Amino acid sequence: MSDGYDGDRYDDGTYGDDEGGAPGQERTFAPLPPAHGRGFAGSWWGQAWLKALEDTALDNQHLKKGRRFAREGRVGAVTVRPGRITAVVRDGDSSTYRSDVLLQELDEADWERFLAMAVERSGHIAALLDREMPPHLVEDAAAAGVELLPGIGDLDPECTCEAWDHCPHTAALCYQVARLLDQDPFVLLLMRGRGERRILDELQIRIAARAEGHGEPGPAAADGGGVRGVRADEAFAARDILPPLPAPPPLPAEPGAAPSLDTETEPRPGVDPAALEVLATDGAARAHRMLAEALRAGHGEQPPTAGLTPEQDAVRLAAEARPEPRIMARLATGSGRRRAELDAAVRAWQHGGAAALAVLDEEWTPDPESLARARARLAGAWEEGEQPRLRSAGNRWTAVDEGVQLRYGPDGRWWPYRKEGGRWMPAGPADDDPAAALGGSAASDG
């Protein structure tokens, strides 16, 4: 049974025209594959989108069913246009329904304030071009009177199933759109009224006007010196809009080879040539990785990476270099662990770096608010009757019948563990969805 809807479908990310012929004011994304074993939103703005849905919907069962429909790949091509998203959703009995979710467009005054704010802060344009939506962009927009992210009641559902609230079909559409928002925050801006090309064109006009002296005068002009220029932050923000600078030298294909220290000359007492070779190889690999990151677009807008303690760095070196057993034993000592404990730490590092290592080492008791949030996520992660029997202790929930465990991290993510040889061992990367994390643990076990 079907409602007969058969909308146009295009490849992911192509642009169409709206009714007025404005280019880039409609995007249609091909159906996304099933989302088994992963959360719907990894970015904070994608999670904010889902929070607006989950705080608005009155029927939690409809949300659960919609989440299942999206996870099973029942949402067809998603069309995004100003004020509206649309898709055909296939029900459990193969009936299809056209589902729409409406979001209030920004008016002309809102867009003027948003564009003026974006030009004032160089990092905002750079972040959007890197498909990021940093919190300070949203905060600055809100301070200018422009709400980018939806709040409670802002996602207005329409569906041919004739439900008056969010039904499983509009919920499934919203969960699927969260995955699109993760990839490209311009999808949200298009819903708010303007496509990527139009936004960038209008930003370019404003940047050019400031460069020509039509904006606020710079310090030299204010002093009467008559010298005009472009502020460094504005030039940086416009780097992907104005003609590009010459390309930097290419990144070498691979790190340089470390020198061999196996010579006929005896090393000085206390010098271990094999250990030095490991350090030299690791240093070359880290330098190559740091150069690759420095050449990546938007690198300058990223916060600096936190430094590692000597104990953490010993685990990192063991995980990345995988040296011979004698050197692994030295690294175990340097990490403050026994050799068997280092194996667990190495596995944790491979799944999530320093954050995963902290979850391995630290048992903590969530505060009441965090505990309530964790329990709510657990309660909503499984269909009724499917949740495993869990025993809690601090931040750890153990599935007593399955030999697996979930550890709740301070950042709200769930880390899977599996019992091996009487020891809890990291079993996979973190996930926002406890069911997906536990499922990843089971898949790793297979």
Side-chain angles (χ1 to χ4, degrees):
M1 180 178 177
S2 169
D3 69 348
Y5 177 74
D6 185 15
D8 296 332
R9 300 194 179 195
Y10 303 90
D11 290 337
D12 187 341
T14 57
Y15 289 76
D17 293 338
D18 64 1
E19 294 178 359
Q25 290 296 93
E26 179 176 309
R27 298 178 68 179
T28 301
F29 297 83
L32 294 174
H36 298 303
R38 55 151 288 173
F40 286 102
S43 65
W44 75 271
W45 59 91
Q47 293 170 4
W49 167 270
L50 290 183
K51 187 176 188 302
L53 165 70
E54 293 166 354
D55 288 349
T56 298
L58 299 179
D59 193 327
N60 192 49
Q61 293 304 313
H62 284 175
L63 289 182
K64 286 186 176 182
K65 186 178 287 188
R67 190 161 57 236
R68 188 176 76 246
F69 285 173
R71 199 175 290 284
E72 292 173 352
R74 294 180 177 272
V75 181
V78 176
T79 298
V80 182
R81 60 178 69 89
R84 181 181 295 267
I85 54 176
T86 305
V88 174
V89 180
R90 182 164 46 88
D91 211 331
D93 61 358
S94 295
S95 299
T96 58
Y97 298 89
R98 169 175 167 152
S99 297
D100 295 76
V101 174
L102 281 60
L103 179 64
Q104 181 68 42
E105 296 180 51
L106 302 179
D107 60 25
E108 289 296 324
D110 289 334
W111 278 111
E112 285 299 317
R113 289 195 294 272
F114 173 78
L115 294 168
M117 176 275 304
V119 169
E120 287 294 328
R121 290 283 298 270
S122 59
H124 292 336
I125 303 174
L128 287 173
L129 291 171
D130 287 336
R131 299 307 191 259
E132 295 285 336
M133 186 176 285
H136 58 76
L137 185 155
V138 176
E139 293 166 0
D140 287 351
V146 181
E147 296 294 339
L148 294 179
L149 291 167
I152 297 176
D154 287 347
L155 301 180
D156 190 16
E158 291 182 357
C159 185
T160 54
C161 76
E162 299 184 354
W164 63 272
D165 185 31
H166 275 285
C167 61
H169 315 108
T170 57
L173 172 58
C174 286
Y175 279 109
Q176 203 75 310
V177 167
R179 297 171 67 185
L180 299 179
L181 290 173
D182 261 8
Q183 301 167 15
D184 188 353
F186 277 107
V187 171
L188 176 63
L189 296 178
L190 176 55
M191 283 187 245
R192 285 300 197 184
R194 296 194 183 178
E196 176 179 357
R197 186 66 266 161
R198 183 176 177 186
I199 291 172
L200 296 182
D201 287 346
E202 294 183 354
L203 287 171
Q204 182 177 2
I205 291 171
R206 285 164 173 75
I207 292 171
R210 290 170 67 91
E212 292 171 2
H214 298 310
E216 296 178 4
D223 292 338
V227 178
R228 295 190 181 276
V230 180
R231 287 168 52 95
D233 58 354
E234 294 173 6
F236 182 79
R239 70 194 188 283
D240 290 322
I241 300 176
L242 302 177
L245 295 173
L251 178 73
E254 56 187 21
S260 173
L261 301 180
D262 184 13
T263 67
E264 296 180 357
T265 304
E266 288 294 321
R268 293 185 178 182
V271 175
D272 185 342
L276 284 178
E277 287 185 9
V278 169
L279 292 174
T281 300
D282 176 66
R286 292 179 67 192
H288 185 269
R289 185 164 59 247
M290 291 171 67
L291 179 58
E293 292 172 356
L295 294 175
R296 187 175 297 123
H299 170 74
E301 298 298 326
Q302 301 302 316
T305 304
L308 302 179
T309 66
E311 293 77 14
Q312 291 173 324
D313 200 48
V315 174
R316 179 202 64 79
L317 185 57
E320 296 178 0
R322 303 300 296 174
E324 61 183 74
R326 178 176 59 84
I327 297 177
M328 285 289 282
R330 292 184 62 181
L331 289 172
T333 301
S335 69
R337 305 170 191 269
R338 295 192 296 271
R339 180 65 180 83
E341 294 172 337
L342 180 61
D343 290 338
V346 163
R347 192 181 298 185
W349 186 273
Q350 291 169 336
H351 287 314
L357 196 59
V359 170
L360 170 72
D361 292 337
E362 300 168 8
E363 183 172 1
W364 60 289
T365 300
D367 58 70
E369 182 179 349
S370 298
L371 188 60
R373 187 162 50 246
R375 286 174 172 164
R377 295 299 299 273
L378 286 167
W382 284 273
E383 298 296 331
E384 186 174 352
E386 294 181 358
Q387 180 176 340
R389 188 160 60 96
L390 299 173
R391 183 179 65 240
S392 65
N395 67 320
R396 301 176 181 185
W397 277 264
T398 303
V400 294
D401 300 324
E402 301 178 21
V404 291
Q405 185 182 84
L406 286 170
R407 296 191 179 183
Y408 187 63
D411 59 357
R413 295 187 297 166
W414 299 87
W415 298 82
Y417 275 68
R418 187 173 59 250
K419 207 155 200 178
E420 298 179 9
R423 181 189 300 272
W424 287 110
M425 297 290 286
D431 200 292
D432 295 326
D433 183 347
L438 207 57
S441 170
S444 175
D445 189 32

